[in-house]
Amino acid sequence: MSAEATTEERASILLVDDMEDNLVALEAVLGSLNEPLVRARSGEEAMKALLRQQFALVLLDVRMPGMDGFETAANIKRLDQTKDVPIIFLTGAEDDSGYAFRGYATGAADYLTKPFDPWVLRAKVTVFLDLHRKNQQLERLLAQDQGEVNTRLAELEKQLSGENPPDLAALRTQVREIRLLVSRGRL
């Protein structure tokens, strides 16, 4: 986690694998990032976790009993609440080469084979965490701009509904400022 990240900026990572050893390995590799790591032992558990809280990233095993990784990813991408959460598929090296294509077609952002290089995995996860934080920052800025636009529009309405005739030059200036805010934020 970067030094500037505050408590509310901590980005949870969902680890989905039916094998305990794989979950332990993922936790060992990613523990140094100091981000919350949440385990799920099945696709069903993963979906429940995703509906309970927000995640910056999902690391998803392809081969699991019941709902496999592909089905889980399809369900994640189907829901408005979770469709933008990036997924990195993890699978054994001996798995069919068509798995990678199927993973990307299902909406995966990346695909790694086990055993994976811990440095590569950590680097990829760090990129997705940084993207998550940048998206959150953009959302906050857009919300601020939207709030400012709403405040200024309310002021204009108040001036226009007042008993005294409005100052047209001042109104034009306010409208230009609002247009600038809207075009800057693409609101």
Side-chain angles (χ1 to χ4, degrees), residues 42 44 96 109 112 158 176:
S42 68
E44 292 85 358
D96 180 2
L112 291 173
K158 185 177 176 183
R176 275 194 300 274

Side-chain angles (χ1 to χ4, degrees), residues 15 23 33 116:
L15 312 175
L23 291 169
L33 296 176
F116 49 81

Side-chain angles (χ1 to χ4, degrees), residues 7 10 19-20 70 74 82 84 96 120 141 152 155 164:
T7 305
R10 294 195 63 198
M19 304 293 290
E20 179 68 20
F70 299 122
T82 58
D84 295 326
D96 180 2
V120 170
L141 289 172
R152 290 186 175 215
E155 289 172 11
N164 299 327

Side-chain angles (χ1 to χ4, degrees), residues 8 25 31 33 37 44 46 58-59 65 68-70 73 78 84 88 91-92 94-95 103 115 118 120 129 146 170 173:
E8 66 265 3
L33 296 176
L37 303 174
E44 292 85 358
V58 176
L59 298 178
D68 69 12
F70 299 122
R78 196 174 295 130
D84 295 326
I88 296 178
T91 190
E94 74 280 354
D95 285 339
V120 170
L129 293 174
Q146 181 67 52
T173 301

Side-chain angles (χ1 to χ4, degrees), residues 60-80:
L60 180 59
D61 183 35
V62 169
R63 293 177 20 174
M64 295 184 293
M67 188 184 338
D68 69 12
F70 299 122
E71 292 174 84
T72 303
N75 285 326
I76 291 169
K77 295 302 179 183
R78 196 174 295 130
L79 297 175
D80 285 340

Side-chain angles (χ1 to χ4, degrees), residues 95-114:
D95 285 339
D96 180 2
S97 62
Y99 276 18
F101 174 78
R102 189 171 170 202
Y104 287 120
T106 309
D110 210 340
Y111 193 94
L112 291 173
T113 56
K114 301 176 203 171

